[in-house]
Amino acid sequence: MDDADAFSELYRGEAESVLIFLTRRTFDAEIAVELTAETFAIALCSWGKLRGLAPEPQRAWLFTVARRRLARYVRRAGVERRAIERLGIEVPSASHDDLLVIEQRAGLADLRVALGRELARLSAGQRQALSMRVVQERPYAEIAELLGVSEDTVRARVSRGLRRLNRGLEQHQATPEGTS
């Protein structure tokens, strides 16, 4: 099997799992499509070392890349597209119906309900700090000033709130294929 066929086989075998994994973590099918494209663009750039791995290590490598792309997206509140642009790959666009199917397959409706329930369990201070930091993307120093607390207090509230949300949502994090 030549490299193009082997890479195509990897893509056909793992793209949906990666897409569902990312959709369940972003709550946004369109962003997940972009992050999936980035993950596979990086895999293509690294194919020289990736092609020699067995299927399970290849899959683990892909999900490590997907997690890192997600972390980068979250940190920067936007998708870095250098690998895709460098390769001249066009990000696939998904129709509204396609996005609905992805969201359904990822179980986002149930996950949104669970997230709402877990957010309601947080203290008011944690909810407020999380909203300002994660949703509004404000810097810690600004949040501290607005809330009249120290920056360390804001960091603690955000950190504790995220940990508590993560614990509460653990049962919803696995994809149907068992990938967490």
Side-chain angles (χ1 to χ4, degrees), residues 41-59:
I42 291 168
L44 183 59
C45 287
S46 301
W47 187 243
K49 68 178 179 181
L50 193 58
R51 72 174 161 235
L53 299 177
E56 280 305 308
Q58 281 181 342
R59 187 171 205 271

Side-chain angles (χ1 to χ4, degrees), residues 13-26 32 36 59 63 66-67 70 102-108 111 169-180:
E14 300 297 343
E16 183 176 352
S17 294
V18 171
L19 178 61
I20 289 172
F21 169 83
L22 291 165
T23 302
R24 292 182 63 89
R25 282 152 181 82
T26 61
T36 300
R59 187 171 205 271
F63 278 90
R67 282 183 189 92
L70 176 61
I102 293 167
E103 288 181 6
Q104 181 183 19
R105 299 265 334 250
L108 286 192
L111 193 53
L169 294 173
E170 278 179 348
Q171 68 182 355
H172 297 280
Q173 291 302 311
T175 64
E177 291 79 20
T179 302
S180 57

